[in-house]
Amino acid sequence: MILTTLDHLQDRKFRDLGVVKGNTVQSKHIGKDIGAGFKTIVGGEIRGYTEMLNDARDVAVRRMVEEASKLDADAILNIRFQISELMQGTAVEALVYGTAVKILENSQK
């Protein structure tokens, strides 16, 4: 499956199959939350939060690809990510969406 933020595939014709999306809501482990509280005092990266966001994005992308696969898509174009904080900093929602397409043929230049 080709994944791209571009709105086209160079030298390829395709058929639009529609919008596909994936999302998830992730929360922090209480131990990581306590560690994050200490980190805000001394500064620096809060790795627990970074891991939570990365995990959430990975799950959302996987769900989007699964939805596109059900449509027999070859690629997802114009991919966009949206992250929202939920429940006053204890959870985030990751949403990813794009346009599923079926590649028809390669164009010759």
Side-chain angles (χ1 to χ4, degrees):
M1 178 82 58
I2 299 169
L3 304 176
T4 183
T5 58
L6 298 175
D7 63 358
H8 66 283
L9 294 170
Q10 187 172 349
D11 300 331
R12 294 189 179 187
K13 294 181 182 182
F14 55 85
R15 180 171 46 97
D16 183 333
L17 300 175
V19 174
V20 290
K21 79 271 181 229
N23 73 316
T24 187
V25 175
Q26 299 276 341
S27 65
K28 300 181 298 252
H29 180 278
I30 187 67
K32 290 183 180 182
D33 196 30
I34 292 169
F38 291 129
K39 195 66 161 181
T40 60
I41 295 170
V42 297
E45 180 182 8
I46 303 172
R47 289 193 180 135
Y49 289 178
T50 301
E51 290 171 11
M52 179 181 63
L53 286 171
N54 286 336
D55 291 346
R57 274 193 300 266
D58 290 347
V59 169
V61 168
R62 185 172 59 247
R63 290 179 178 170
M64 178 185 65
V65 169
E66 287 170 0
E67 188 173 313
S69 294
K70 290 177 185 175
L71 298 174
D72 197 30
D74 297 312
I76 304 172
L77 308 181
N78 207 25
I79 293 174
R80 299 292 181 254
F81 290 88
Q82 181 177 334
I83 303 293
S84 302
E85 180 182 28
L86 303 173
M87 300 181 344
Q88 297 182 350
T90 61
V92 295
E93 177 191 26
L95 170 66
V96 60
Y97 57 94
T99 303
V101 299
K102 183 71 176 171
I103 297 172
L104 301 175
E105 61 183 62
N106 289 335
S107 299
Q108 304 247 326
K109 284 193 172 189

